[in-house]
Amino acid sequence: MEIAHEAVRLFVSKGVAATSTDEIAEAVGISTRTLRRYFPSKEACVQPLLAAGAEAATRRLHAWPSGHTLREALSDWKDVTPLMDWPDAAATLDLIRLTRTEQALKTVWLQTYHAYEGQLAEILAERTGCHPGDLHIRVQAATINAALRVAAEHHAWRERDDRAEPDQDEGAELWEALRTALLTAAQGLPD
């Protein structure tokens, strides 16, 4: 996560093109060779941060109470703490903002979400007694996955007062955007 945070910090302050793998490695105090052993590109360095958000959402969905529809569970989640600690959420939002103009970062973003779609299918299959590979389950998982991704992008890309420093309230607003998107997606899912 330290590598991911430093990569985002450098990408935001210098730009992706102007940031080198060497600079990211130096910022975290490791050799470039070590960094390249774990990450095939400088853009891939941010994947752990993106994965943390997807993992948190997956954990939250996995914990929805048995016998409740997704809509019912989401209604109960109004006062639940946000999915991620604020420093991770803030860095993730900065990163998502960069995906609008940085194709390589957008690729990492989309690949990360795609990787968690199978876990969502397993959660839905467990609840319905279906197989995770069932077409209906896969479409439902893709719907939930897309709702989470679109909500995060919508929140990150919205107009905001650039003079205002993002704070914990933005984390709560992000959680509300994710919850709203899931409620919207759940309207099209069977009970």
Side-chain angles (χ1 to χ4, degrees), residues 29-188:
I30 62 174
S31 71
T32 302
R33 183 176 174 170
T34 300
L35 183 72
R36 287 189 177 142
R37 187 177 313 142
Y38 296 101
F39 300 104
S41 67
K42 64 184 177 184
E43 294 86 0
C45 290
V46 301
Q47 196 277 337
L49 188 58
L50 296 175
E55 288 169 7
T58 302
R59 273 193 313 275
R60 183 72 56 89
L61 288 168
H62 191 40
W64 106 52
S66 187
H68 288 81
T69 66
L70 181 56
R71 287 183 293 259
E72 291 168 342
L74 290 167
S75 295
D76 294 342
W77 291 351
K78 284 182 183 175
D79 299 322
V80 176
T81 57
L83 294 176
M84 300 170 71
D85 291 335
W86 176 242
D88 289 345
T92 300
L93 290 170
D94 284 341
L95 184 55
I96 295 168
R97 287 180 191 105
L98 289 171
T99 65
R100 284 188 109 165
T101 56
E102 298 292 340
Q103 188 59 45
L105 289 177
K106 185 173 205 151
T107 299
V108 173
W109 168 241
L110 294 174
Q111 287 172 339
T112 301
Y113 259 85
H114 181 68
Y116 284 89
E117 198 167 291
Q119 290 182 28
L120 294 172
E122 289 176 17
I123 293 167
L124 293 168
E126 183 179 299
R127 300 222 168 248
T128 61
C130 295
H131 187 274
D134 180 84
L135 179 60
H136 292 95
I137 296 297
R138 291 187 62 213
V139 169
Q140 291 169 9
T143 300
I144 291 170
N145 199 20
L148 290 167
R149 181 186 54 77
V150 168
E153 290 172 352
H154 175 79
H155 182 76
W157 295 346
R158 77 193 191 295
E159 292 293 321
R160 64 183 180 100
D161 184 354
D162 286 330
R163 295 168 299 171
E165 190 66 29
D167 59 14
Q168 297 284 349
D169 289 341
E170 188 174 0
E173 291 169 12
L174 172 60
W175 167 240
E176 185 56 30
L178 293 170
R179 199 176 77 73
T180 298
L182 286 171
L183 279 167
T184 303
Q187 290 174 8

Side-chain angles (χ1 to χ4, degrees), residues 19-30:
T19 300
S20 70
T21 305
D22 294 336
E23 289 173 299
I24 297 169
E26 184 178 320
V28 293
I30 62 174

